[in-house]
Amino acid sequence: MNAISGLHEEALLAERLLARFAELGADPKGGITRPAWSEAETACHDALAEAAAARGLAVHRDAVGNLWLAPEGLGDRPAPACGSHCDSVPQGGNYDGAAGVVAGLLVALRAARAGIALRAVALRAEESPWFGAPYLGTRAAFGLLDPAELAQPRRGDGLPLAACIARAGGDPAAACTGRPLPEIARVTAFWEAHIEQGPVLLDRGLPAAAVTAVRGHLRHPAARCLGEAGHSGVVPRHLRRDPALAVAEFLMDLDTLWARQEQEGADLVLTAGMLSTEPDAATPTRIPGEVAFSLDIRSADPAVLGGMERVLAERAAEIGRRRGVSFALGRAVRAAPVALDPRRAAAIEAALPRPFAMASGAGHDAAEFARNGVPAAMVFLRNAGGSHNPAEAMDIADLMAGVEALWAAIRATGG
Amino acid sequence: MNAISGLHEEALLAERLLARFAELGADPKGGITRPAWSEAETACHDALAEAAAARGLAVHRDAVGNLWLAPEGLGDRPAPACGSHCDSVPQGGNYDGAAGVVAGLLVALRAARAGIALRAVALRAEESPWFGAPYLGTRAAFGLLDPAELAQPRRGDGLPLAACIARAGGDPAAACTGRPLPEIARVTAFWEAHIEQGPVLLDRGLPAAAVTAVRGHLRHPAARCLGEAGHSGVVPRHLRRDPALAVAEFLMDLDTLWARQEQEGADLVLTAGMLSTEPDAATPTRIPGEVAFSLDIRSADPAVLGGMERVLAERAAEIGRRRGVSFALGRAVRAAPVALDPRRAAAIEAALPRPFAMASGAGHDAAEFARNGVPAAMVFLRNAGGSHNPAEAMDIADLMAGVEALWAAIRATGG
């Protein structure tokens, strides 16, 4: 096989597998639905295993149902792994996770041919809608599930997580031992290709990017601003305690700070996803008594998140005092940023036709490996149409650019 | 009767009548409910008529059920009138309207004693919740109801307006002739006392104020800002089309302009009473695709309203362009400001212990008289607890301050 026909063969294999995954996940209501630990997810693993076996890889499933594909003769030796997940969100797209699983197979096939020790892996259950939490396949392999999580019903059919693992041929008890399964314990480094879930590569005209970190977040899912309701026509400005204008000022302060931080090169995104006056009481001629809102602030830099947390408290207090309202930011949900391995990220970036590195705003299995002390690296693939929806669109050529970068970086770093 | 015991007697009569009105309107669910053209409203008219007749006034009801109380011997001669309305909003307070009706009776009794030509009037149906439109008693007396309005069902019992007028002893056809009834045609000027529905007098420690105008409004009940939904973690600032931040900026611009206008002495109030991301799609981790909001802008000055209308369009376009969103302000509901008679307003202001004049942010029967070419004047009475709710609270002493000011102004201006 020469290099050019080999590339053609890889691209055709990728296309064929992704088409098969699309068939297996086709949802009559639209888009792709491959629930975690479902028959559709298992069928994707099986299709992958069949393609791997046909090309000489050894097929193995761990005790919680993750699929491992290794060169014959690697045995139990430690080695890097490359892969991602096959499950999707309900009515999602075909490429989130699946692209990285296919890339993992292509990289493992190259490694087998080159005599380099490396396994491909298809992890279970990365998406959170099914059991209310993400990275369950990876966390289960690390032995880190809480026994209480096993009772969690699956969205859609309500089957408890334990039963789902068992039906897929796994042993739910193995997910909660606090000790990693032998397969994941052998992973010396984790490499993952994944579609970019935002528009950055599309906007920059780049096929792929190295990922430096997974952003952490500070989230207030249910913040409120409490003021005083009143007749819209009769209360002069200085006697109002208007929570709508107070929240508008609060958001504008945060937006202004965001713009300034971005100019200074800080990594930051900020979203008020929910905003609402009282649904039953609000009318155009009533000063609202209360505004509910949410905040989601993300950064790859813990110092930026910490700084924003202080700003939130300070601005809420100052605006509250001045406008006669009170902010109740409510429950805070925090996740620390996860740094990916800088040496491997640099190797991926250097291997790209046009070097570019960025932070990931969404979580990934790679971050879960990193949190468990395994060096992790990621390459993002250009993707149109956003993610978690049927419009996801990735070119096979961009997948192949990611595979090239991973492969070059694995050889350059020793894996 | 000497002056002091006369004052006592007036205050006692006011207190007794208002207590009776409260009984007649007591709502088992709380507060006061006196629907338009209802038995409760008619019973208030009857209580007023009885008190007036006992003190020597002639009692007369016009063809649509408004109650007129005149000194014996005034006959059909033109004269000023003084009064307000007896109906309330559902579960409202006891003083909105009722205070002015009682003030009208007290002024008419003084006029009768002094030989001054003046009638008291209790108008029907000022509040809009009952048939979806305000000032119906006054508009009916001017012959200005649209025949289609007569079919409008009353909130609560669903009885058509025509049937309600007929049950209250009136003739619905008389409300639609396009010609004023003889009783209202005889009104040379209309004087109205009314509780202030905002907190201005309470805040300033004043019992009463002259009213210079009734604010007009520019209202957008269903404005929208359309952007592009996306994952909160992955879209950088410059690629977002975030309608929540765009609406926040829009409102802050309007608020800043409002503060500046107020400093320059312009009359203006501004309210975003409704604010909402898409109820079914919004989550904390999703950039909203759309924000719905309302605007209610009021001023006594048509030039200020016109200026605000231009600012809305200009800011919406500029912010929309810059942020990649589009504003659809939607249907505009406009009402022109109504100037009350300046000479009579000045006379009321001059008669107050501490002169003060202000615009009214809510509509009143007086404005309807003014719109129909009858010079109109109003005095506001201090009121705690807001209006249109059971917490309305007016002191009889403040009502009496309003009566004194009206009486002095009527004598000073010739009525």
Side-chain angles (χ1 to χ4, degrees), chain B residues 47-403:
Chain B
L48 207 66
E50 192 185 331
R55 286 160 183 81
L57 297 187
V59 172
H60 175 74
R61 290 174 179 84
D62 68 24
V64 297
N66 298 309
L67 176 74
W68 301 86
L69 306 168
E72 293 284 356
L74 183 56
D76 293 346
R77 274 178 289 150
C82 184
S84 189
H85 62 95
C86 287
D87 62 317
S88 75
V89 298
Q91 295 189 258
N94 193 41
Y95 302 100
D96 181 340
V101 165
V102 170
L105 174 62
L106 298 185
V107 169
L109 289 171
R110 288 189 182 197
R113 285 195 297 274
I116 291 176
L118 182 143
R119 294 181 184 87
V121 62
L123 296 155
R124 294 271 183 179
E126 193 268 347
E127 301 289 0
S128 59
W130 303 110
F131 298 98
Y135 328 123
L136 289 178
T138 301
R139 289 182 55 229
F142 278 112
L144 294 177
L145 293 199
D146 190 294
E149 283 182 284
L150 291 177
Q152 193 69 27
R154 182 162 60 191
R155 175 175 169 150
D157 61 10
L159 205 63
L161 174 52
C164 295
I165 295 176
R167 276 207 193 176
D171 169 16
C176 310
T177 59
R179 291 187 312 275
L181 300 178
E183 293 82 359
I184 207 161
R186 278 175 213 132
V187 176
T188 55
F190 180 69
W191 300 81
E192 181 174 12
H194 200 285
I195 58 166
E196 190 216 340
Q197 292 174 271
V200 173
L201 293 176
L202 200 68
D203 180 61
R204 291 183 174 252
L206 296 174
V211 182
T212 53
V214 173
R215 287 180 179 140
H217 59 252
L218 166 64
R219 192 174 299 154
H220 288 285
R224 293 155 74 210
C225 181
L226 307 166
E228 187 178 31
H231 186 303
S232 66
V234 303
V235 185
R237 189 168 187 280
H238 71 283
L239 295 179
R240 292 194 179 210
R241 303 149 66 91
D242 181 340
L245 294 184
V247 168
E249 181 173 0
F250 186 61
L251 294 180
M252 268 310 90
D253 281 2
L254 298 182
D255 188 52
T256 304
L257 180 63
W258 181 13
R260 198 181 324 141
Q261 294 249 35
E262 212 177 46
Q263 275 183 345
E264 291 168 3
D267 181 70
L268 183 63
V269 289
L270 186 153
T271 307
M274 306 181 77
L275 202 56
S276 173
T277 46
E278 308 116 292
D280 295 333
T283 76
T285 58
R286 177 180 177 274
I287 303 164
E290 180 177 336
V291 170
F293 64 104
S294 68
L295 284 177
D296 182 52
I297 297 171
R298 304 200 190 195
S299 176
D301 183 347
V304 171
L305 286 181
M308 289 303 292
E309 184 149 13
R310 284 189 297 277
V311 166
L312 290 191
E314 184 240 295
R315 296 311 301 143
E318 194 281 321
I319 294 170
R321 241 184 339 263
R322 181 160 39 77
R323 291 189 175 265
V325 299
S326 66
F327 283 86
L329 295 179
R331 185 164 57 92
V333 181
R334 294 178 184 82
V338 177
L340 299 182
D341 181 64
R343 190 173 62 96
R344 288 178 175 83
I348 291 175
E349 186 176 6
L352 291 169
R354 285 161 62 197
F356 181 64
M358 61 185 289
S360 170
H364 294 290
D365 286 306
E368 197 55 34
F369 278 88
R371 267 191 286 270
N372 284 283
V374 179
M378 287 190 79
V379 65
F380 267 172
L381 312 172
R382 175 165 50 190
N383 166 56
S387 81
H388 287 190
N389 75 67
E392 273 178 18
M394 179 204 69
D395 280 353
I396 295 292
D398 293 343
L399 173 67
M400 295 311 299
V403 167

Side-chain angles (χ1 to χ4, degrees), chain A:
Chain A
M1 180 164 72
N2 67 38
I4 297 297
S5 75
L7 276 176
H8 284 162
E9 197 178 302
E10 285 180 322
L12 287 170
L13 175 57
E15 191 148 86
R16 216 163 52 238
L17 278 169
L18 287 167
R20 179 77 185 125
F21 287 5
E23 280 169 33
L24 293 169
D27 187 321
K29 287 179 292 182
I32 300 291
T33 301
R34 296 189 290 254
W37 276 295
S38 68
E39 286 174 26
E41 189 195 49
T42 298
C44 289
H45 285 211
D46 292 347
L48 207 65
E50 193 184 330
R55 287 159 183 81
L57 298 187
V59 172
H60 176 74
R61 290 175 179 85
D62 69 23
V64 296
N66 298 309
L67 175 73
W68 301 85
L69 307 168
E72 293 285 356
L74 184 56
D76 291 349
R77 274 178 289 153
C82 183
S84 189
H85 63 94
C86 288
D87 62 316
S88 75
V89 299
Q91 298 189 255
N94 194 40
Y95 301 100
D96 181 341
V101 165
V102 170
L105 175 62
L106 298 185
V107 169
L109 289 172
R110 288 189 182 195
R113 286 196 296 273
I116 291 175
L118 182 143
R119 294 180 184 87
V121 62
L123 296 155
R124 294 272 184 179
E126 194 267 349
E127 300 290 359
S128 59
W130 304 110
F131 298 100
Y135 329 123
L136 288 178
T138 301
R139 289 182 56 227
F142 278 112
L144 294 178
L145 293 199
D146 190 294
E149 284 183 282
L150 293 176
Q152 193 70 26
R154 182 162 61 193
R155 174 174 168 151
D157 61 10
L159 205 63
L161 175 52
C164 295
I165 295 177
R167 276 206 192 175
D171 170 16
C176 310
T177 61
R179 291 186 313 276
L181 300 178
E183 293 80 358
I184 208 160
R186 280 175 211 130
V187 176
T188 55
F190 180 68
W191 301 81
E192 182 173 13
H194 199 285
I195 57 166
E196 191 217 341
Q197 292 174 269
V200 174
L201 294 176
L202 200 69
D203 180 60
R204 290 181 175 254
L206 295 174
V211 182
T212 52
V214 173
R215 287 178 179 140
H217 60 250
L218 165 64
R219 193 174 298 154
H220 288 284
R224 293 155 73 211
C225 182
L226 308 167
E228 186 178 32
H231 186 303
S232 67
V234 304
V235 186
R237 190 167 186 279
H238 72 282
L239 295 178
R240 292 193 180 211
R241 304 148 66 92
D242 181 340
L245 294 183
V247 168
E249 180 172 1
F250 187 61
L251 294 180
M252 268 310 90
D253 280 3
L254 298 181
D255 188 52
T256 304
L257 180 63
W258 181 13
R260 200 182 321 142
Q261 295 249 35
E262 212 177 46
Q263 276 183 346
E264 291 168 3
D267 181 71
L268 183 62
V269 288
L270 187 154
T271 306
M274 305 180 77
L275 202 57
S276 174
T277 45
E278 309 116 290
D280 294 334
T283 75
T285 57
R286 176 180 178 272
I287 303 164
E290 179 177 338
V291 171
F293 65 105
S294 68
L295 283 177
D296 182 52
I297 297 172
R298 304 200 190 196
S299 175
D301 183 348
V304 171
L305 286 181
M308 289 303 291
E309 185 150 12
R310 285 189 297 278
V311 166
L312 291 191
E314 184 239 294
R315 296 310 301 142
E318 194 280 321
I319 294 170
R321 241 183 340 263
R322 181 160 38 77
R323 290 188 176 267
V325 299
S326 66
F327 283 87
L329 296 178
R331 186 165 57 92
V333 181
R334 294 178 185 83
V338 177
L340 299 181
D341 181 64
R343 190 173 62 96
R344 289 177 174 83
I348 291 174
E349 185 176 5
L352 291 169
R354 285 161 63 196
F356 181 64
M358 62 185 288
S360 170
H364 295 290
D365 286 306
E368 196 56 31
F369 277 88
R371 268 192 286 268
N372 284 283
V374 180
M378 287 190 80
V379 65
F380 266 171
L381 312 172
R382 173 168 48 191
N383 166 56
S387 81
H388 289 188
N389 76 66
E392 274 179 16
M394 180 203 68
D395 279 353
I396 296 293
D398 294 343
L399 174 66
M400 295 312 299
V403 167
E404 289 300 341
L406 284 177
W407 179 238
I410 286 164
R411 283 178 306 164
T413 59

